[in-house]
Amino acid sequence: MSDTPRKPRVGLFVTCLVDLFRPSVGFAAVKLLEDAGCAVEVPAAQTCCGQPAYNSGDRADTKTIAAQVIRAFAGFDYVVAPSGSCAAMIHAHYPRLFEGEPDMAKQAEDLAGRTHELVSFLTDVLGVTGVAAKLEGSYTYHDSCSGLREMKVKAQPRALLNSVARLERREMPESEVCCGFGGTFCVKYPDISNAMVERKAANIEGSGADLLLAGDLGCLLNMAGKLKRRGAATKARHVAEVLAGMTDTPAIGEPKG
């Protein structure tokens, strides 16, 4: 028998936005997890986490989607998402969906207990304290609502970013305030959403940082779009890309090639 410890088997929940708009975040997540000693798989049967339907009050379709996700990620030691929002949907809201349905509720609770946001998983579960990446410049960090309030992600990304050689942190005012994206919120209340992201963009620019980093692609797409319309020099990236040293691709919202 081999004395080599078994690697934790991790199912990567890619997320819709990463799949459709920023696959490099998924590849960065795989690299970080494998560098930390995990065996990573990406189940082909995974779908959306169901959050848009859930936020719109469509519980029936949300339950159908959640059941599919539960089946797709059965058997993994952990499920990890490069998104506090999607991780929170599974971790905090799936069990509530199936109240009164004992069998499904048990499965939802089991999956919830195994589901983590990427950076908090690296630090809090695997004990990662640093990375080997290097990046010249400065960054400011946006704490996304779900990641911060539902998954308790705050210090973890900053701790790992402290280990990135030659990268300086410049905290912006109101880093914990919503950017105005909020999933379907920005569609239902566009004027309020625009005012929120306008204020956020001003705080980002005021920090003087070269880069805006966050752990949720929805927030980043929203803020990157506003920064670009303002003519700001600040570029946006997902925190996983920087931690993995995968910053050769254009920044979010920048033309490819």
Side-chain angles (χ1 to χ4, degrees):
M1 294 179 62
S2 173
D3 293 329
T4 304
R6 185 179 73 87
K7 292 184 177 181
R9 185 169 173 246
V10 172
L12 181 66
F13 188 87
V14 176
T15 84
C16 299
L17 292 180
V18 169
D19 184 34
L20 296 172
F21 292 99
R22 195 73 176 175
S24 57
V25 174
F27 291 115
V30 171
K31 182 179 186 301
L32 288 167
L33 291 166
E34 289 184 340
D35 286 351
C38 298
V40 184
E41 298 177 42
V42 183
Q46 67 179 286
T47 64
C48 172
C49 67
Q51 187 174 173
Y54 185 72
N55 289 344
S56 299
D58 184 356
R59 294 296 188 269
D61 282 331
T62 306
K63 289 170 75 170
T64 300
I65 294 167
Q68 169 67 14
V69 173
I70 290 169
R71 289 192 296 270
F73 286 93
F76 288 98
D77 297 320
Y78 302 101
V79 177
V80 175
S83 161
S85 179
C86 296
M89 178 65 195
I90 298 170
H91 179 81
H93 299 285
Y94 272 21
R96 300 175 190 170
L97 275 174
F98 296 104
E99 290 177 351
E101 302 177 44
D103 181 60
M104 286 304 301
K106 183 178 179 181
Q107 294 181 57
E109 288 166 3
D110 173 69
L111 177 61
R114 294 183 283 118
T115 299
H116 303 266
E117 184 273 339
L118 172 65
V119 181
S120 67
F121 178 70
L122 292 170
T123 58
D124 300 337
V125 178
L126 298 182
V128 176
T129 58
V131 294
K134 179 174 75 172
L135 185 63
E136 184 82 39
S138 59
Y139 79 92
T140 195
Y141 200 90
H142 166 72
D143 299 294
S144 65
C145 295
S146 293
L148 176 67
R149 293 169 178 85
E150 294 185 298
M151 301 303 289
K152 311 304 179 187
V153 179
K154 172 72 175 181
Q156 301 95 322
R158 290 169 173 81
L160 288 188
L161 287 165
N162 283 344
S163 70
V164 177
R166 313 197 70 164
L167 184 63
E168 174 193 356
R169 183 170 81 224
R170 297 184 180 180
E171 292 285 358
M172 69 171 119
E174 302 179 335
S175 67
E176 297 183 357
V177 174
C178 179
C179 73
F181 176 65
T184 56
F185 176 87
C186 62
V187 178
K188 295 175 180 176
Y189 306 102
D191 293 340
I192 299 173
S193 174
N194 184 59
M196 293 170 73
V197 74
E198 185 72 41
R199 179 166 178 159
K200 176 64 70 170
N203 284 333
I204 293 165
E205 288 188 79
S207 74
D210 306 313
L211 277 177
L212 164 66
L213 301 181
D216 269 284
L217 191 53
C219 302
L220 284 164
L221 288 167
N222 186 40
M223 293 182 291
K226 176 56 74 173
L227 288 168
K228 188 172 184 179
R229 291 190 293 275
R230 287 169 59 97
T234 314
K235 306 301 181 185
R237 287 192 179 277
H238 193 284
V239 62
E241 296 175 309
V242 172
L243 293 176
M246 298 172 66
T247 55
D248 292 337
T249 56
I252 293 169
E254 295 296 304
K256 297 179 181 179

